[in-house]
Amino acid sequence: MHRILLTFLVAAIVLSDGAVAGTPSSEAVEAAAPPALKATQAPKYNAKPCCTLCPHAADPQTYAGSKFMSDFRVLVDGRHGWLFRTGLDLTTQFNVPDESLVQMHRLSDALRQRGTQIVMVYQPPRGLMDPDELTPQERRSYNLESARNNYASTLQRMRTEAGVIVPPFDRLVDEHKGYDYYFRRDHHWTAAGAKHTAEAVADTMRKLPGFSTIPHKQFVTHTNGVIGKPGTLQKVAEQLCGGAYSMQYEPIYVTDPVGGDSLLGTTSQPDVVLVGTSNSDTLGGYNFAGYLEQSLGVDILNVSITGGSFEGSLLHYLASKEYQQHPPKFIIWETPYQDYPDSEQSAYKVYRQAVPLVNNGCKGKAAILSRTVNLRQGNNELLFNGGGAIRPLVGRNYQLEFQFSDPGVKDLAAEVWYFSGMKESLKLHFKQYVDNGGRFIAELRSDRPDYAAATVMGVTMLLDQAPTKPLSVTAQLCERGSSSQLTAQTR
C-alpha cells in the first residue's frame, strides 16, 4: 500500500500511480508566491510511495466472516497503484448454470410476446480488461487467453441457449488498448469503459430489426466536473493494512440532446430502456446511459438502481406502469459478471418472479383463490384449496401474488403446501433501494417434475413476532398467463 510519510501544509497533487506528492519544485512555488515571499527559499518536498500491501492482506483467512469481505479475497498489488482481487478479478471461469440460461430463455420469450428484446451487457472481470496493470508475477500466473476464450464462450451460450442479444464484448479485451476500463482500486468501470461498451452495444443494435423505426436524434457529450473515487478495493486495503491511498480523480461526463430537445414535458416513453446496477445509475457518474444515447442516437429510459444487484431494477421496472402500459422495443440489461447468480436455485428465484411480472402478475386475471388476512404472531393461513371441493391447481399452471398493506415490506416468507405431502419455503427479498411497494409475485415451483405436477393445498405465513403496527396481506392464486390474456386496463 502506498503510504505518505510526510504531513504537508501545501496543496497536494494526485499522481497517476495513486501516491500523493507535495510541491513539485521550489521554482513552481516561487513563481506563484507573492513578492514578499520570493526572497526566502521555498522548501522542497520529496514524497514517494513507500510500501506494498501488508502481509495480513495475503492471508485468505483475513477475509472470512462476511460475504462482503469474502468478495475481496485475496487482494494483491498491481502496477501503478492498482489493486486486484485474485478470486473475482483474476478468474478464468464464468459460472453460468445451464438451467439459468433455460430460465433466461423463458423470460426472453415472454418479453418477445410483448414486443421487447433483451440486449445483455455481461461485464467482464477487471483482470481480463486491464491486464497491463498486473505485476509481472501476477501476469505470469493469470491465464489471460483462457479467460478471454471462456468469456467469449459464455457470451455465445447466452446468445444460443438463452435467446438474448449479446454484443461481442470479448473484442474489447486488449492488453494494450490505451485506456483504463476499470478504476485502479474500485470494481466499477470508468467513463472510458462505459463509453467503449456503449459503442459495442450500438454497433450490434443498429443492425437489429425494428431499431430503425425508433425516433432518432443527435446527442452530444461534455464534461461536467470531476469525480473523486476512493474505491472499494482501496477501502478494504486500508481496513486491513492501515495507511491511506489518495483519491483517483476522473472527469464527469454528461450527455444532452443537441438543441436541448428532451422528453421533459412529453407523454411518450422511450423504446429503449436500460436496467442495471450502479455502473449504469446516473448517481455513479460513469455516463453509460448517456453514451448509449449518443452512440445509438435514441432516447434511453434509465431505470438502473445502485445496490439493486442483478435483478433489482429489472423486477422494479417490469412491475411499473411505464413497462406495463408501454413495453419498449429493447431492454438493455447491464450486470457485472460476478452479480450473475452462480447457482440454479438463485437464478430460478429471479426468473420465477420476472416471467410473471412481464404480464403484471395476477392483475387483470381472475383469482382462483384470494383472501385478505390481518397478520398476527404465529401461523397465519392465507389460502386453502378445499371447502368441500379440491381444485386441480397443479403447480406448473399457477402463480402467487402477495400485496402487503405496508408498501415498505421487502421480505416475504411463506409456506406452500401440496397434497402430495411436499412443502416449499417461499422466501423472496428485495434489495434496500428497490421499491417493490410491498408487492411480491412468484410462479408456483415447477423447476422439478414432482413440484410441477403437484396439486397445491394451501399457503401459510408464520410470524415469529407480532407486527409493530397493524399489517395485512392480500394473497391471490391465479393462472399463469400470456400477454394475450391481459385486459385493456392493464395494458
Side-chain angles (χ1 to χ4, degrees):
M1 181 187 300
H2 299 312
R3 302 189 186 90
I4 305 306
L5 304 181
L6 300 176
T7 301
F8 303 108
L9 299 179
V10 296
I13 298 174
V14 180
L15 299 180
S16 61
D17 66 353
V20 177
T23 307
S25 67
S26 58
E27 290 81 4
V29 172
E30 185 175 357
L37 298 179
K38 289 184 179 180
T40 61
Q41 180 67 35
K44 294 183 179 181
Y45 299 103
N46 232 350
K48 297 180 180 180
C50 74
C51 35
T52 60
L53 284 167
C54 61
H56 190 51
D59 181 4
Q61 293 304 313
T62 301
Y63 304 84
S66 73
K67 174 63 169 65
F68 173 79
M69 287 299 292
S70 67
D71 284 344
F72 293 86
R73 184 186 294 127
V74 171
L75 287 177
V76 295
D77 284 301
R79 301 171 66 240
H80 306 128
W82 278 69
L83 291 175
F84 291 92
R85 303 164 293 184
T86 57
L88 290 180
D89 297 336
L90 304 184
T91 185
T92 59
Q93 302 296 321
F94 301 88
N95 298 320
V96 178
D98 294 342
E99 181 59 28
S100 75
L101 296 179
V102 173
Q103 295 298 325
M104 184 185 285
H105 207 307
R106 282 207 311 129
L107 175 61
S108 176
D109 286 345
L111 286 167
R112 284 179 188 274
Q113 289 184 29
R114 300 204 65 187
T116 301
Q117 299 182 70
I118 297 177
V119 180
M120 200 73 189
V121 179
Y122 181 73
Q123 286 183 34
R126 294 173 75 246
L128 183 59
M129 296 308 296
D130 291 293
D132 291 349
E133 302 303 337
L134 293 169
T135 62
Q137 178 182 351
E138 295 295 339
R139 181 63 187 85
R140 284 191 297 270
S141 62
Y142 178 54
N143 192 332
L144 178 64
E145 193 61 27
S146 176
R148 184 204 304 264
N149 291 338
N150 289 336
Y151 176 64
S153 175
T154 301
L155 300 183
Q156 182 60 21
R157 289 180 60 216
M158 287 184 173
R159 296 182 191 107
T160 57
E161 298 176 40
V164 297
I165 299 159
V166 186
F169 300 121
D170 50 305
R171 297 180 185 175
L172 297 177
V173 179
D174 188 341
E175 286 192 83
H176 310 289
K177 61 185 180 299
Y179 67 92
D180 291 344
Y181 191 88
Y182 285 102
F183 282 91
R184 289 193 293 266
R185 296 178 293 276
D186 190 72
H187 66 281
H188 294 96
W189 57 19
T190 61
K195 179 176 184 290
H196 285 82
T197 304
E199 290 170 350
V201 171
D203 288 344
T204 296
M205 287 185 61
R206 282 193 294 264
K207 303 170 186 175
L208 296 176
F211 179 76
S212 61
T213 64
I214 300 175
H216 282 55
K217 61 176 66 173
Q218 289 186 321
F219 293 84
V220 61
T221 298
H222 56 89
T223 57
N224 186 33
V226 175
I227 182 174
K229 200 69 175 176
T232 49
L233 282 73
Q234 170 174 326
K235 291 177 180 178
V236 171
E238 292 172 351
Q239 177 180 331
L240 296 178
C241 298
Y245 289 85
S246 61
M247 299 275 276
Q248 181 178 352
Y249 291 95
E250 295 287 341
I252 295 176
Y253 296 92
V254 296
T255 301
D256 297 312
V258 173
D261 188 19
S262 72
L263 287 174
L264 295 177
T266 70
T267 58
S268 62
Q269 288 288 332
D271 279 314
V272 180
V273 173
L274 172 62
V275 300
T277 67
S278 53
N279 284 288
S280 299
D281 192 348
T282 55
L283 297 176
Y286 316 120
N287 197 42
F288 183 49
Y291 286 126
L292 285 170
E293 287 184 319
Q294 179 171 293
S295 299
L296 289 168
V298 300
D299 282 311
I300 302 287
L301 175 62
N302 185 8
V303 296
S304 302
I305 298 176
T306 294
S309 192
F310 169 71
E311 78 282 1
S313 64
L314 176 72
L315 297 181
H316 179 267
Y317 173 64
L318 291 179
S320 70
K321 290 182 179 179
E322 287 78 10
Y323 168 74
Q324 294 298 331
Q325 296 177 0
H326 183 89
K329 288 184 170 63
F330 299 96
I331 290 178
I332 300 173
W333 189 0
E334 171 267 316
T335 183
Y337 97 91
Q338 67 267 22
D339 282 2
Y340 193 94
D342 58 2
S343 73
E344 292 183 1
Q345 275 303 306
S346 296
Y348 179 60
K349 182 182 289 189
V350 172
Y351 292 114
R352 71 186 290 194
Q353 296 176 78
V355 173
L357 273 175
V358 171
N359 296 310
N360 212 10
C362 289
K363 289 189 177 179
K365 304 178 183 68
I368 310 300
L369 300 175
S370 180
R371 190 179 179 209
T372 299
V373 176
N374 294 319
L375 297 173
R376 54 179 175 75
Q377 184 176 3
N379 198 41
N380 297 266
E381 182 181 287
L382 303 184
L383 299 174
F384 177 60
N385 181 15
I390 297 175
R391 304 185 187 190
L393 305 178
V394 179
R396 67 169 68 90
N397 299 326
Y398 295 92
Q399 59 196 20
L400 291 165
E401 177 164 338
F402 305 85
Q403 178 64 63
F404 287 87
S405 58
D406 180 358
V409 174
K410 294 185 179 297
D411 289 278
L412 177 140
E415 304 286 343
V416 183
W417 303 80
Y418 296 88
F419 283 101
S420 63
M422 294 188 302
K423 179 185 73 170
E424 180 196 3
S425 295
L426 178 61
K427 296 183 179 180
L428 305 178
H429 168 73
F430 281 89
K431 302 293 192 300
Q432 177 183 357
Y433 301 108
V434 180
D435 181 12
N436 63 307
R439 186 187 184 202
F440 300 81
I441 297 169
E443 298 168 330
L444 286 175
R445 188 171 177 183
S446 60
D447 60 321
R448 280 177 23 189
D450 51 352
Y451 277 102
T455 300
V456 66
M457 180 171 66
V459 180
T460 61
M461 184 175 295
L462 179 65
L463 270 65
D464 293 332
Q465 297 179 340
T468 56
K469 59 182 179 180
L471 180 66
S472 66
V473 63
T474 298
Q476 297 181 73
L477 183 142
C478 65
E479 290 185 354
R480 299 187 188 185
S482 65
S483 57
S484 60
Q485 295 174 299
L486 289 175
T487 65
Q489 182 178 4
T490 58
R491 285 183 186 274

